[in-house]
Amino acid sequence: MASRDIVYDKNHFRHDPKWSGRLGPAEGGGLLLCVACVLEMIDSDSIASVRKSFALSGLSGVLKCSPGALRELLRQDHRVSLHFISSLLGMLHSTKDPDTLEKADQVLIQLLLELQTELSFSFILDLIHKQLSDQASVKDLWPIFRFLGNLVEAIPDVAHTLVTQYAPLLEHLCSALLHPEDTLKASVLYVWLKLFGAAGGSTVQFLPTTMRDRVCVLLLETLSEAGNTQLINNCIGLLWLLVQQGEAVSVLMSHQIPCSESQSSHINSSQILCQDQEQQSPDRCPLPLILKKLLLSGDEMLQTTSAKCIAAILVHSPSQSSLPFIKADLPEFLFDRLASSRSEVLLWSVYSCLLLLTEDPLFFSQCHSVYGIESLVRSLKEALRLTNLEVPKQGLLLLTEILERQPASVRLFPTGPGFTAVSEAVAAGVSCSCLLVATQAANAAAALFKLNHQSRPVHYGEIEGLIEAITNRFSELSLPSPTHRQNSGGMKRSDPHSHASRSEGFLFQALVCFHAACRLAEECASDPRVKENTFTAPSKHSQRQDSLDTLCRCLLRCCDSTWIPTVTRISEHVSNAQILQYFYSILSSQFTLLPSLMPVFANKLASSGFYRMVLEHKGLLCAGNRNPNLNASGCGFLLRLSMCLLTHSDPVFGASQHDVEEVENLLLHNLPSVCFRLSNWPSWLCEVPGFQLCEYKGQRAMQYCLLIILHLAMEQGDRLLPDHVVFSSVVRLLHSVQEQGNCFLPRSVLRSALYLLAMTQDKSPDLEGGPFNCISKVLSSCQSFSSLYIHHPAILHFIFRYPALAEKYGSLVLEFWLTKPAQYTDAGQIKVQVSIQERGQRRETGTDKLDRETKELLTLIEKHPSVTMTLLDMVCTRETPLASQALRVLEVLLHDKRNFDVDLCTSLQPALLQALQRLSMENMDNGFGPGGAAQEVDSLPLVLKLLCVTQANEPPSASSYIKMDGVHFKLFYHVSNIAGRLKPTSTESLLSALSYLYCCLTLSPVHCTDRAVSMLLSNSRLMDQLQRVLSSSTAPSFSPSTCPPSLLCCGHLLLSSLITLQRFHSAQVFKSISWSLDSAVQRLLVQKRNTDSLLLASYLRLLQALLNGDLVSSVVCISTSPGLIGHRPLGFEDGALYPLGSRGAQCLSAALSGLLLQKHELLLRASVNCLSALLGFLQRRSPSTAKYVVCQPWTGFLLRCLLSSEESCLVHPAVLRVITVLLLHGRPALQREVDLMRIMEAAQKKGLKELSEEASQALRQLLTQIQSNVLEPPVGEEQRQRARSMMEALSSQTSGAESCSPGQHSGILLVGDVSICLSDFTVKAD
């Protein structure tokens, strides 16, 4: 027999073998079990507990390993099985050993599970009931109660049987709870715990109500005095099951336990709590005190269950239950648990309890929220570190409710650290990876953004940080796909748990939060106490890192960069009324927070299509009085956007308070009714309404509102309707107004109508007949056209498109166009690129650099040439600012005239002649200058300047130039007379007059200038004027303010032309001009660094003209000084060179050598020509002096510098001419053959065909000199042949160019205000 066999060796042989069997695994042979032996061992008192425990352990193992085997043995006689059950139950009553009791309990449960018969269940219940009835004391029956509890737990059907058929047994269970023994009560409560929890709590429904109520009362009494841990655990477990039943909750909360003297012996914490509650609450409900005691225990499980029970009670009866709990100060204990626990279950349970308690106003009136807010914030920070994200979500929900319900009179965060802490907690919640938690955190942030929650001083930086944290989450949002486009009713989704739905939920809550922040900023701005942080240190005020302005800028920045793009992308697919409502409210708030930045923001919104978006949403979601809140927010946004655009885009309109109020009233009263689609607008505009009583209400006012919206949207590039539809609708509307006659047409509406007609005219037919007359009458009805004007090119083109409108309003519109500030683009200066390296190249204007106003006028003139005469009239008759603007446009037009009429200059000159004649007549008695009439003084400089510009841009082949007759001669005559009569202070007019006279003499052929020269020389006033200008350079008081360098330059140039032409025509001179040669040489030699380059060039041009005439002219009386000619008596050379003298020749030669090294193009050319004239003069008067001058060291230095220049400079006509002149006058300029080689290689490298005409002639003349054997040593035959071939190529090229040349060159270069004839500065070739 195996040692583990379950047999009683002493008596086993007497037992019938049918009650024995080998049970267990077959491979091990199994265990020998004898039922009779087991029964004898259980029933025998002589068997030790250890042996009984061993037998029960073996039997338990058999029941586990061989299910059904024991049942087969016992099925032979059911009496044996009942006896077996009875013996085991009796063992529970008689055995004292704990291990044996546990084994007996376990085997009995296993046996009943093995049998699974109603007979066995009834039998065991009957036995238990009999034992309870027969026993006088139930003190030792706690194992029976524990077994009964285990039985109910193991076999739920037993619970149903017990509840429905064994009421007396249940009565015994209730009575047992009155026993003072804690162990017994713990086992009884264990039975009730399993009964109430059996079958998911459904079994207890069959329990009689009186029995259930009695259990509730007994439980409260037991729990109030419980001291045993097991008893407390069983009590709290049963309580948790009871509080989930509404009827049981009522009994538990309504039961009262008076604190009698009989309880005075129980000196414990429950008694103290009971006494406290008796003082506070008349009804003395024990349950809140009991749960409060459990919260104070150190057992976290009890604390958690207690919190869960509180939550369950509050869920079933919040109105009745919250008051006792609050009066028992339970919220304070719950908040304390938050501060000391990190358990997920406990935190969630406490959050749930407090969340339910916040529904009672007493929670806040007794300041529980103030007491616990710090603990709540601290626990939130810990909860956000937990893995179960439902816990922080519940905590944030509690925080939100407290913030929402907290009375404004009691502040939660009176100091900065408290507000900072809650802001950090909410920001951490927003940054949580779970979108649901982040959504709840955004909800809490929205509640936090109330003025009564802000500390003093207000922490704007913390608010800004929260907004930025919410904004940063937008990148993680999942936008709806285009397949959701049909869903337009709200936030409904087929899967509410999808990421897209959660993203949309977060977006909505974020918008609510952002709107709350905007509202808070508005409240702070209106409250001086919080607008500025008065308690901030002065040093920090200057930085303003935590100011209201910084917060407002943050709101605008986030709105512009993130919120607007996100919401607009979502609204393209799904139109959510709630989201759009808050979105438009947020946009509307920006206009209040930062008014200074709103013009730019409004332009950006309107140009991005926000007019269309809002109107489409209103038509889609607000028709039929749906979504009134969305309609109100959309209308508010459109109103603020429109008024901002109107008042800031046009200062003239903004200055008219009446017009502003008129538009505001029209939009305010009619925008809410604009809830129809854009496709229906044309029919609304074309309807003929009846009589309306109110000025701002009715169908006509609605039409005016639509016109204004169309105007504002189109002004920002958003065309809500096709152009031809807008044009025809506006025309019909105006015609309808005209026909009714009694309808008031507001000036702002007429302004919008004019703009719409102008903007849509290109795609619409011309107005004719009745429609045009209607438009004309409507425009005439306005007393001030300036109030209708809008600075846009379309207005210009619309007015000038119709001659009748152009005649009436054309001049006025042009004036507005020129004088209105540039609102679209800043006026850019006209940049001119001048190149005078090639003869005949004119000044060019970079049209891409023109300002917008000028470009549009050029386009207008191209379509309507009559505009030119209007501009010219402005130049001649209007005030200086307007006349200057018109002159600027005409200047650009003349410079760019190749795109317009070729006879433009010819058409302008007669008008200019008339203007000069009128000015001459009006100033016949008084000289021109500041003493004359204001208009003439202002217009004369502009007329003369325009005349110069016209002259500079006139075609070179004009016949009048060749003959110097007709209009040109008359202009020449009047300009010369006016120049003589000008006052010395009229330098601007004198400059233009002298420039014009100089260019006329220079541009005309020499044989046609005899009359002009004689007329100038006979004009004594003009000669006196010229004398004053030239004398100013030598006067002691000379300064740029008295005679500008440009005027002196023009005087030199005009005088040089008079000298040359007088010598040619031998014209009679009536009055000579005195001029100091010594001063001129000194300026060129000593003062050149302080003299303008153009003025130096004019000196050289005058010297050239005089030197060509051997310093003898009837026009000029030249004065000299001993510094040039030496002291008298003069020597031979000084006498021959008088009035220059040999020393003056050397000084002038040295000055010219220095000027030839300058980079200024005009100065370089003038220096070459003057040097050539000087050497020619010296050669004619004193050849030795000429030889001496060209052999001076500075001349050699000059040549070395020129020959060492880069290749592009070697082929410059001025450099080639200098070398040629020096060779011609005996200077061995090219001392080495390599110098000649460099010049020829540079020319060939650039290409002979690429050389200008001047460079070709200068190079050919140089090569001719070289062929004359002027080099020492002579050039080799190879190089000579190379030079000869180059000369032949240049000769053929030059002859071809001359055959194709149109004739006399007439190019004028405008350098500042000075007109330069390029022919005077062409490099002369002998």
Side-chain angles (χ1 to χ4, degrees), residues 58-77:
L59 184 59
S60 176
V62 169
L63 290 172
K64 290 179 180 179
C65 298
S66 303
L70 182 59
R71 183 175 63 247
E72 293 298 326
L73 291 175
L74 295 176
R75 189 174 292 177
Q76 299 177 77
D77 190 344

Side-chain angles (χ1 to χ4, degrees), residues 253 277 280-281 283-289 314 317-331 357 360 362:
M253 294 301 297
Q277 182 65 11
Q280 296 179 11
S281 177
D283 54 4
R284 297 185 299 276
C285 179
L287 185 57
L289 298 176
L314 291 171
S317 56
S319 58
Q320 299 176 1
S321 305
S322 59
L323 182 61
F325 284 121
I326 294 175
K327 285 188 174 182
D329 292 333
L330 214 59
L357 288 172
D360 195 319
L362 188 63

Side-chain angles (χ1 to χ4, degrees), residues 157-202:
D157 291 342
V158 174
H160 184 268
T161 302
L162 183 61
V163 169
T164 57
Q165 301 177 19
Y166 289 86
L169 178 58
L170 296 179
E171 289 291 343
H172 285 291
L173 290 175
C174 291
S175 300
L177 289 175
L178 298 175
H179 197 279
E181 181 64 33
D182 286 350
T183 305
L184 177 66
K185 289 191 286 187
S187 61
V188 173
L189 285 173
Y190 180 71
V191 178
W192 285 113
L193 179 63
K194 299 305 177 181
L195 277 175
F196 276 90
S202 59

Side-chain angles (χ1 to χ4, degrees), residues 1109-1168:
D1110 291 340
L1111 296 178
V1112 177
S1113 175
S1114 302
V1115 179
V1116 180
C1117 179
I1118 302 176
S1119 61
T1120 184
S1121 69
L1124 295 181
I1125 60 176
H1127 297 283
R1128 294 180 184 277
L1130 301 179
F1132 176 76
E1133 290 187 355
D1134 289 333
L1137 299 177
Y1138 185 86
L1140 182 61
S1142 60
R1143 185 177 178 183
Q1146 295 177 27
C1147 292
L1148 182 57
S1149 173
L1152 291 174
S1153 298
L1155 293 174
L1156 283 169
L1157 296 177
Q1158 302 295 322
K1159 300 297 183 180
H1160 193 276
E1161 184 73 16
L1162 282 178
L1163 189 58
L1164 177 61
R1165 292 167 176 270
S1167 300
V1168 172

Side-chain angles (χ1 to χ4, degrees), residues 85-99:
I85 294 172
S86 177
S87 298
L88 288 173
L89 184 62
M91 189 177 181
L92 292 176
H93 179 66
S94 60
T95 304
K96 303 300 181 182
D97 181 57
D99 293 336

Side-chain angles (χ1 to χ4, degrees), residues 74 80 87 121-122 197 299 446 505 604 681 719 792 856 898 1021 1208 1272 1298:
L74 295 176
V80 175
S87 298
F121 296 156
S122 299
D299 192 333
K604 185 174 183 180
W681 282 33
R719 298 179 181 267
H792 197 280
E856 293 297 340
R898 58 181 176 273
R1021 289 186 176 182
S1208 60
E1272 293 295 338
E1298 290 176 352

